[in-house]
Amino acid sequence: MAASMQEAGEMPGVSVAKDSDTEEDGEENDENEQDEEPDEPKEPKIRETPEDIKFEAIVNTVAFHPTRDILAAGDLDGDIYVHSYSCVEGGNKELWSSGHHLKSCREVAFSHDGEKLFSISKDKSVHIMDVEGGKLVKRISKAHSDPINSMLLIDENLFATGDDSGTLKVWDLRRGTAFMEMKQHEEYISGMAIDHDKKILLTTSGDGTMGVFNIKRRRFDLLSEFQNGDLTSVAIMKRGKKVACGSSEGMIYLFNWDGFGATSDRFAVKAESVDSIIPITDSILCAASTDGVIRAINLLPNRVIGSVGQHVGEPIEQIAKSYDGHFLASCAHDQKVKFWDISSLSAITVSDYRRRKKKGGNLKSLSKKAFGGGDDFFSGLIEETEIKKPEEKEEEEEDSDSGSD
């Protein structure tokens, strides 16, 4: 600051007073200028969530690191990007990128220890990369005969893949081969989930069924009955007692753990399609849709709690939850990965009784960033049965299904 003042004094047309009357004042000003310290750099702005990350192509898949503030994304061109993220403005940083896949990258997932990054592609390959530098550690170039669509890491040695023709494979990294290969679905495998004991593997498919496989005994158990539309995603809820499946018809289907053959409950979310679901608590999940909205949904009682966030008018491909449960990341056709604050969801409790919403009511925004929309399909959930009366509710078990067929 003092240097800039001196330079200004040398500029033409700027004079410094030399009158005897003002000499004392000038000396005081000079002393103040010499004592004045340079401006300190401004403190960086802290945001509620990290800034959006923009890409050059549509992002199909996102995944969070299990212990660090790192996110991986795979896009339509087959490229994979790994970023560190931060709530400090300008704090997001690309760590590395990979262009090993020849076609669209459809899923990425970090190993349980966070040291490896797995990816699958339309080019039928599985890649395993080192997280620190992006070096390709292992490539299974022809893992399937058809393009691979979904992947699930089971433990440090086992992972499963599902392809566009409905074939499931379970791999053992110690052997470097698949020890289980079955084709029970007629269409693509869209999602997978595994129970706590790492024994029962569940699959959802475009043929409208959920598959049940016992990977300990290496056998196929059963297929559920056919549902309307494609089953797009699957999540295990209610401490392992319930299974939720999203569908292309905007429905969420519920199965009892010991009753996989037929649904125990189903309800319609006012969305075009429920494409990706992820558990947040035992009772609350987040569901992303082709209408661009991410909804927080409570199961049993079945309620749409509100809007977590949205990509306005852009179909959402996938959502993921951060290791600390603070953020949800979403990727959509707007070529962006966005972050949403979900830290408050774990404290939400939903009453078993409510008054039916008015038509056209807005979907409640669950954070400052998650603005709602005014269209009728934002208004929430339509249940297939009447709301239970309080006296009826007390006579039923805590986890009984509402709207059972």
Side-chain angles (χ1 to χ4, degrees):
M1 194 75 172
S4 63
M5 290 286 188
Q6 290 168 3
E7 290 170 3
E10 295 171 3
M11 291 175 61
V14 179
S15 60
V16 179
K18 296 295 183 181
D19 296 353
S20 58
D21 294 342
T22 59
E23 188 173 358
E24 186 176 347
D25 292 339
E27 290 174 356
E28 289 178 0
N29 290 337
D30 289 342
E31 290 174 5
N32 291 336
E33 289 171 5
Q34 291 172 3
D35 292 338
E36 189 175 347
E37 295 181 359
D39 289 342
E40 293 183 5
K42 291 183 179 178
E43 296 246 350
K45 183 180 177 182
I46 305 300
R47 299 166 49 90
E48 183 181 275
T49 61
E51 294 174 282
D52 298 349
I53 302 175
K54 298 180 181 179
F55 296 85
E56 295 181 359
I58 292 173
V59 178
N60 295 321
T61 174
V62 288
F64 281 101
H65 191 277
T67 58
R68 299 163 60 189
D69 293 344
I70 292 176
L71 176 135
D75 70 16
L76 197 63
D77 292 338
D79 297 324
I80 295 169
Y81 298 87
V82 173
H83 287 77
S84 61
Y85 60 89
S86 171
C87 287
V88 176
E89 195 164 86
N92 294 343
K93 180 183 178 183
E94 182 181 317
L95 302 179
W96 55 266
S97 63
S98 165
H100 295 301
H101 284 301
L102 302 177
K103 295 182 179 180
S104 174
C105 177
R106 291 181 166 180
E107 188 110 37
V108 291
F110 287 95
S111 60
H112 291 79
D113 60 11
E115 295 181 2
K116 301 290 187 296
L117 180 68
F118 289 65
S119 64
I120 57 170
S121 170
K122 188 179 178 181
D123 65 14
K124 308 173 186 177
S125 70
V126 176
H127 288 177
I128 305 174
M129 291 157 285
D130 176 66
V131 169
E132 289 304 319
K135 180 182 177 182
L136 185 63
V137 176
K138 185 177 180 63
R139 176 194 283 120
I140 307 174
S141 57
K142 295 181 180 179
H144 282 249
S145 300
D146 294 283
I148 309 173
N149 191 62
S150 61
M151 172 176 61
L152 176 70
L153 302 191
I154 298 170
D155 59 26
E156 64 274 11
N157 297 312
L158 306 181
F159 70 97
T161 52
D163 67 24
D164 282 357
S165 69
T167 299
L168 168 72
K169 289 189 178 185
V170 183
W171 303 79
D172 190 333
L173 289 172
R174 294 164 295 191
R175 302 178 184 179
T177 59
F179 66 86
M180 182 172 166
E181 179 176 352
M182 295 184 176
K183 186 181 186 307
Q184 298 296 331
H185 292 293
E186 297 301 320
E187 294 287 344
Y188 68 97
I189 294 178
S190 56
M192 292 185 277
I194 191 84
D195 69 336
H196 182 266
D197 295 329
K198 313 294 185 185
K199 178 183 176 182
I200 302 299
L201 178 69
L202 305 176
T203 58
T204 48
S205 172
D207 63 13
T209 65
M210 182 178 71
V212 184
F213 300 84
N214 187 320
I215 64 170
K216 294 288 187 184
R217 297 187 179 182
R218 304 184 187 184
R219 75 182 186 199
F220 163 71
D221 282 353
L222 60 93
L223 284 181
S224 73
E225 62 184 7
F226 288 92
Q227 312 301 330
N228 294 330
D230 303 6
L231 291 188
T232 59
S233 45
V234 58
I236 299 173
M237 306 291 293
K238 292 288 184 179
R239 301 174 299 281
K241 297 178 182 178
K242 300 286 182 180
V243 176
C245 295
S247 81
S248 61
E249 299 297 310
M251 300 285 291
I252 289 183
Y253 295 95
L254 297 181
F255 295 83
N256 291 325
W257 183 257
D258 293 325
F260 294 126
T263 58
S264 63
D265 199 6
R266 61 181 178 178
F267 59 93
V269 177
K270 286 193 174 180
E272 298 170 17
S273 173
V274 178
D275 289 340
S276 180
I277 62 176
I278 190 164
I280 305 301
T281 68
D282 279 333
S283 299
I284 296 174
L285 60 80
C286 283
S289 172
T290 51
D291 62 22
V293 181
I294 305 168
R295 294 166 172 84
I297 297 173
N298 189 86
L299 300 182
L300 304 175
N302 302 327
R303 303 284 186 271
V304 172
I305 301 169
S307 168
V308 169
Q310 61 181 311
H311 296 251
V312 181
E314 300 288 349
I316 298 172
E317 289 289 338
Q318 194 175 55
I319 53 177
K321 183 178 71 169
S322 65
Y323 68 93
D324 57 4
H326 197 91
F327 299 121
L328 191 80
S330 58
C331 57
H333 288 198
D334 56 9
Q335 302 175 203
K336 294 178 182 177
V337 168
K338 295 188 174 186
F339 296 84
W340 313 98
D341 184 1
I342 57 169
S343 57
S344 63
L345 290 183
S346 59
I348 291 177
T349 56
V350 176
S351 170
D352 198 34
Y353 178 77
R354 69 160 190 184
R355 289 181 298 177
R356 193 176 289 274
K357 282 188 176 183
K358 293 181 180 179
K359 267 193 173 182
N362 289 346
L363 186 63
K364 179 183 177 182
S365 296
L366 299 178
S367 69
K368 294 177 183 177
K369 189 177 175 184
F371 55 92
D375 294 333
D376 183 56
F377 61 72
F378 285 165
S379 61
L381 167 155
I382 306 173
E383 292 176 301
E384 296 189 337
T385 59
E386 293 297 321
I387 302 297
K388 290 178 287 185
K389 295 178 182 179
E391 57 268 21
E392 293 173 342
K393 172 201 66 173
E394 292 172 2
E395 297 174 1
E396 298 183 2
E397 293 180 5
E398 182 181 352
D399 279 348
S400 64
D401 296 334
S402 61
S404 300
D405 291 331

